[in-house]
Amino acid sequence: MAKERSASKIKKKWYQILAPKEFNENLIGETPSLDPRLLIGKVIRVNLMNLTRDIKKQNTNIRFKIIGLIENKAQTEVI
């Protein structure tokens, strides 16, 4: 007889990822994590058109690195 699998009681918490002040701290994404310390150093790639709303910049991607957390919001810097 097969064993029943129990759902994990540990729930991941969602964190918002914000762009730096140069991009008006716009929301660039969200990510789940069990431990917020694991987010530090994570790299996110974002299309520049999504930040500036300028279609001429759709061929440019910018990479951001998470450098810290304030409340449930991840602060980033441009790489």
Side-chain angles (χ1 to χ4, degrees), residues 55-72:
I55 198 162
K56 293 178 183 177
K57 298 179 180 176
Q58 67 182 343
N59 295 324
T60 305
N61 291 319
I62 298 180
R63 294 184 339 169
F64 296 99
K65 183 177 180 180
I66 297 176
I67 57 171
L69 288 166
I70 298 176
E71 296 174 3
N72 289 338

Side-chain angles (χ1 to χ4, degrees), residues 1-78:
M1 191 165 165
K3 293 182 181 179
E4 290 184 29
R5 292 187 181 187
S6 63
S8 176
K9 293 183 181 183
I10 301 173
K11 293 193 176 189
K12 292 182 181 180
K13 193 171 184 181
W14 285 85
Y15 297 91
Q16 293 181 343
I17 304 171
L18 302 177
K21 290 182 182 180
E22 293 89 8
F23 295 102
N24 299 323
E25 296 183 348
N26 289 331
L27 179 68
I28 57 175
E30 293 181 337
T31 187
S33 181
L34 292 173
D35 186 6
R37 294 176 291 179
L38 297 175
L39 295 176
I40 305 298
K42 185 174 182 175
V43 176
I44 296 97
R45 188 177 66 188
V46 179
N47 191 297
L48 186 58
M49 181 186 75
N50 294 336
L51 289 173
T52 62
R53 306 289 188 239
D54 183 4
I55 198 162
K56 293 178 183 177
K57 298 179 180 176
Q58 67 182 343
N59 295 324
T60 305
N61 291 319
I62 298 180
R63 294 184 339 169
F64 296 99
K65 183 177 180 180
I66 297 176
I67 57 171
L69 288 166
I70 298 176
E71 296 174 3
N72 289 338
K73 298 178 181 177
Q75 305 298 316
T76 60
E77 67 180 3
V78 177

